[in-house]
Structures are given as structure tokens and as C-alpha cells.
Amino acid sequence: VVNFIASDPYAFPAKFIMDEFPDTVVKGLRILKRLYPQARLNVTIPRNYRHQFLVMLKQHGYHEETTIHLLSNKYPQEHDAVLLNTLFGKHIPPNKSSINIGIVIVNAYDLIPIVEAVFTGKPLIERMVYVSGSWCVNEGIYRARIGTSSAAFMSCKKKCAIRIFSN
């Protein structure tokens, strides 16, 4: 299951992933299909992104067999237990994960490092971070190495407490 549902207010939304990385999304879906050739590929997307998602797949020549599930983008829909119950009526046993019942769940954002690892050999050494707020000078999305101090890629207009969220 590739999950584009992101109801957490600090998660990168499906629209961002589709707009900024359409080629990466398609390459990532193909990689997953080759890694798990016997598996059914299921993709969950918010209902209101159906058209955009289908256009993206068509523009990038994606024709592999894939089941697309249109879901509400509301909390806690993207959580593994809720997602599996919604899609397949399956429950994850206590102290287990989806892999224990034979289902791999990948968040849409994770297609980016998967593609980078396969095509360039790049290990997972950085994540995207979104920095914003009324006091922020350099609002935006940054690629930051894992473990990088926030002071290294942002500054504030005044001395203030800030929050940074990454996926």
C-alpha cells in the first residue's frame, strides 16, 4: 500500500508530493512493483486528488496494474491500523505491525528516498523539512541532513521559540 493520505497537520500533503515529484512517484511505484511482483499494488489518495493523480500517472507513462482507493483525508485515516481496516477489513494484532499480516505500507513521501537509493545509490541521509511561522525569515522547504541543527538552515526575525516538523 502506498499511502498518500496525510491528515496530520504537519505532514507533507499528497498535492505537494504529486506537484513537486511526479516522476519520482511513478518511478517509486514501479520499483515497489518490481520488488514485490506477486503483490497487488494499492494506492490511497484523497478523493479530491483523483483527477490530478490519474493525469500524473498518464503523463509519466505508468500503466502497471494498480488499485486506487479514494479516501477521506481526515485524521486518523493514514494510521496503519485504520488504513488496513478501511481497505481490507484487516486488523493488526497487538504489538505487531502491518508486515506481520503480509502488508507493506509505504508513505508517499518515502518514495523519494526509495528512488534515490535505487537510481543513485544514495542512502537515507536527509529529510525534507518545512519551516514556517510569522517570525521566520527564510520560510520554505529544505533538504536537511539527518541530525542537522535547525540553526544551520533557518533564522528568525526576532528571538523566539520555533517549531520545525519533518516527514
Side-chain angles (χ1 to χ4, degrees):
V1 175
V2 179
N3 184 24
F4 278 84
I5 304 296
S7 62
D8 184 318
Y10 305 110
F12 286 101
K15 184 161 178 36
F16 171 77
I17 302 296
M18 288 187 277
D19 288 349
E20 299 298 319
F21 302 97
D23 188 49
T24 302
V25 168
V26 171
K27 285 179 182 176
L29 293 174
R30 286 186 176 129
I31 290 168
L32 291 174
K33 193 65 178 158
R34 295 206 57 193
L35 285 173
Y36 303 101
Q38 302 303 318
R40 288 188 335 239
L41 185 59
N42 292 270
V43 177
T44 61
I45 59 170
R47 282 184 173 85
N48 55 328
Y49 294 134
R50 178 184 180 277
H51 178 72
Q52 179 182 355
F53 189 77
L54 294 174
V55 167
M56 178 193 67
L57 294 179
K58 185 176 181 180
Q59 285 176 344
H60 292 273
Y62 184 82
H63 303 292
E64 287 78 354
E65 185 179 332
T66 303
T67 302
I68 298 173
H69 302 272
L70 304 174
L71 300 176
S72 298
N73 200 23
K74 63 181 183 181
Y75 185 82
Q77 185 63 60
E78 78 271 15
H79 291 242
D80 291 0
V82 177
L83 194 62
L84 292 181
N85 189 26
T86 301
L87 296 179
F88 311 116
K90 295 192 177 210
H91 299 281
I92 301 173
N95 301 320
K96 302 288 182 184
S97 68
S98 64
I99 195 72
N100 296 109
I101 59 172
I103 299 173
V104 175
I105 299 176
V106 177
N107 289 322
Y109 175 82
D110 292 325
L111 293 173
I112 299 166
I114 289 170
V115 169
E116 288 176 346
V118 170
F119 284 95
T120 67
K122 179 181 174 184
L124 180 59
I125 57 172
E126 64 184 14
R127 299 295 283 180
M128 281 192 206
V129 225
Y130 180 64
V131 180
S132 71
S134 59
W135 298 102
C136 183
V137 173
N138 299 319
E139 184 174 63
I141 296 171
Y142 297 87
R143 281 188 175 246
R145 283 190 152 230
I146 294 171
T148 300
S149 165
S150 61
F153 60 90
M154 62 162 295
S155 59
C156 289
K157 294 175 187 170
K158 295 182 179 181
K159 187 174 182 172
C160 61
I162 56 172
R163 285 185 178 181
I164 300 174
F165 300 92
S166 71
N167 247 355

